[in-house]
Amino acid sequence: MGLTIGQVAKECGVDVETIRFYERDGLIRQPARPDSGFRRYPPDVVKRILFVRRAKALGFSLREIRDLLSLRVDSATTCDEVKKRAEEKIIDIKNKIRSLQEMKHALEKLTAACRGRGPTAECPILEALEDGNDAGTPKGTPEQYPGKQAATKG
Amino acid sequence: MGLTIGQVAKECGVDVETIRFYERDGLIRQPARPDSGFRRYPPDVVKRILFVRRAKALGFSLREIRDLLSLRVDSATTCDEVKKRAEEKIIDIKNKIRSLQEMKHALEKLTAACRGRGPTAECPILEALEDGNDAGTPKGTPEQYPGKQAATKG
DNA sequence: CTTGACACCGTAGCAGGGTACGGGGGCATC
DNA sequence: GATGCCCCCGTACCCTGCTACGGTGTCAAG
């Protein structure tokens, strides 16, 4: 007769409170509450929550995720409207993919440089991220950045 | 003799306060302050800030971005260490790319379905995001979600 | 030498996205 | 029928990542 909120939480690797929060926020539907008022979820809510988490990790806000999840044609939305919104999102996503691919390239260059070579002082990620630039005059003064230590602390 | 904080802000499309915040947070180096104590930036700080913004839009936290930007070999970091961290990030990024490609596919399917067909009730994004699943038994009960309205409000 | 745009600093406030808490109930099991 | 585990609800709190504020200083132009 459906999963309890605790079971869903465990399957999704999130906290029970998070699920209640997502419900309040309109990201998941209010489930049935047959017996004692306890929520009972259909199994596919798990997919939905996992989608939310993944989309969040990709930089979408909960509001955007709500929009994504609501992309369907129903009595209140025309085909054209849905198509338009979907196409906007596709462009958005393509841009994200491109940025990530650039970052990946930069990092791959870094590991490659690392394999054969010694110290590369300036930040190779920035070098490689310039529009179609692929080397770059090194600038001397390879100072450390102050402020909070970046990793390498544990 | 370098850009003022205001000029950098304008070029990056961010607020002056954001730049000061990034400085405090260790994302950008403390610039020179020759004359009256005003910050003077080398032009490449613009690239750095734009990188931060892009990375943020891709779901990286400022802490992670600091780590990314610090990936270089210097007197305090061995090649192996850098390589290890870079490779972890590459895996991370590959996963993000894959997720985004799945989302893109799902949306493309949606617009395609839209072109030829009428109402598709259940959420096609979720259908398409199941591991290697590509249709899915429609489930009846095409209810609306309550909670906050998802877009379609303007 | 004043006016205005911009810079400085510290601190406070805010939105997003959860997370924790406290008090109360359901249900199975010992 | 008491113990323990899970659920309910509302509210308060917390961290991240800015953003705004207020009071002061600088410098270039008129």
Side-chain angles (χ1 to χ4, degrees):
Chain A
M1 54 168 298
L3 303 165
T4 67
I5 194 169
Q7 288 166 336
V8 174
K10 182 177 288 179
E11 267 198 65
C12 296
V14 304
D15 196 297
V16 165
E17 304 299 325
T18 301
I19 297 181
R20 298 208 311 119
F21 173 78
Y22 284 173
E23 185 181 314
R24 262 178 277 145
D25 213 49
L27 285 159
I28 55 178
R29 184 194 315 234
Q30 311 225 21
R33 294 173 182 236
D35 39 347
S36 49
F38 289 11
R39 293 169 177 82
R40 288 305 186 144
Y41 292 95
D44 61 351
V45 79
V46 171
K47 275 190 327 203
R48 197 172 175 100
I49 291 171
L50 291 177
F51 175 81
V52 171
R53 299 255 103 197
R54 245 185 306 166
K56 247 215 50 191
L58 294 167
F60 294 97
S61 68
L62 294 190
R63 165 186 295 271
E64 287 175 302
I65 295 169
R66 244 187 349 250
D67 286 7
L68 277 171
L69 286 170
S70 75
L71 277 177
R72 68 169 66 69
V73 180
D74 56 34
S75 44
T77 329
T78 72
C79 232
D80 274 6
E81 173 61 20
V82 168
K83 210 176 155 192
K84 210 183 85 227
R85 289 209 275 141
E87 276 163 359
E88 283 166 15
K89 279 300 170 188
I90 288 173
I91 289 171
D92 183 9
I93 289 171
K94 278 184 181 166
N95 288 335
K96 285 190 189 232
I97 290 174
R98 182 149 18 81
S99 286
L100 284 169
Q101 271 161 352
E102 282 168 3
M103 283 176 63
K104 185 159 84 63
H105 271 111
L107 289 171
E108 280 163 354
K109 261 178 73 175
L110 175 58
T111 60
C114 235
R115 170 151 13 93
R117 214 85 314 275
T120 64
E122 280 299 316
C123 181
I125 293 182
L126 290 183
E127 309 288 337
L129 274 180
E130 294 176 70
D131 277 330
N133 186 352
D134 66 344
T137 44
K139 316 262 189 337
T141 58
E143 298 168 42
Q144 282 300 87
Y145 281 73
K148 313 191 181 174
Q149 276 305 350
T152 322
K153 98 156 224 247
Chain B
M1 53 168 298
L3 304 165
T4 67
I5 195 170
Q7 288 166 337
V8 174
K10 183 176 288 179
E11 267 199 67
C12 297
V14 304
D15 196 296
V16 166
E17 303 299 325
T18 302
I19 297 180
R20 297 209 310 118
F21 173 77
Y22 284 173
E23 185 181 315
R24 262 177 277 145
D25 213 48
L27 285 159
I28 57 179
R29 184 193 317 233
Q30 312 226 21
R33 296 176 182 230
D35 39 348
S36 50
F38 289 10
R39 292 168 177 83
R40 289 304 185 145
Y41 292 95
D44 61 350
V45 79
V46 171
K47 274 190 328 205
R48 196 171 175 103
I49 291 171
L50 292 178
F51 176 81
V52 171
R53 300 253 103 199
R54 245 184 307 165
K56 247 214 50 191
L58 293 167
F60 294 97
S61 68
L62 296 189
R63 166 186 296 271
E64 287 175 302
I65 296 170
R66 234 172 16 235
D67 286 8
L68 276 171
L69 286 169
S70 75
L71 277 178
R72 69 168 65 71
V73 180
D74 57 33
S75 45
T77 329
T78 72
C79 231
D80 275 7
E81 173 60 21
V82 168
K83 210 176 155 193
K84 210 184 84 229
R85 290 208 275 142
E87 276 162 0
E88 282 165 15
K89 280 299 171 190
I90 288 172
I91 290 171
D92 183 9
I93 289 171
K94 277 184 182 166
N95 288 335
K96 286 191 189 232
I97 291 174
R98 183 148 18 79
S99 286
L100 284 168
Q101 271 161 351
E102 283 169 3
M103 284 177 64
K104 185 158 86 63
H105 271 110
L107 289 170
E108 280 163 353
K109 261 178 75 174
L110 174 59
T111 61
C114 236
R115 170 150 14 93
R117 214 89 311 281
T120 63
E122 281 299 317
C123 181
I125 293 181
L126 290 184
E127 309 289 336
L129 275 180
E130 294 176 68
D131 275 332
N133 186 353
D134 66 344
T137 43
K139 318 264 189 334
T141 58
E143 299 168 44
Q144 283 299 90
Y145 280 73
K148 315 192 181 172
Q149 276 304 351
T152 322
K153 97 152 227 245

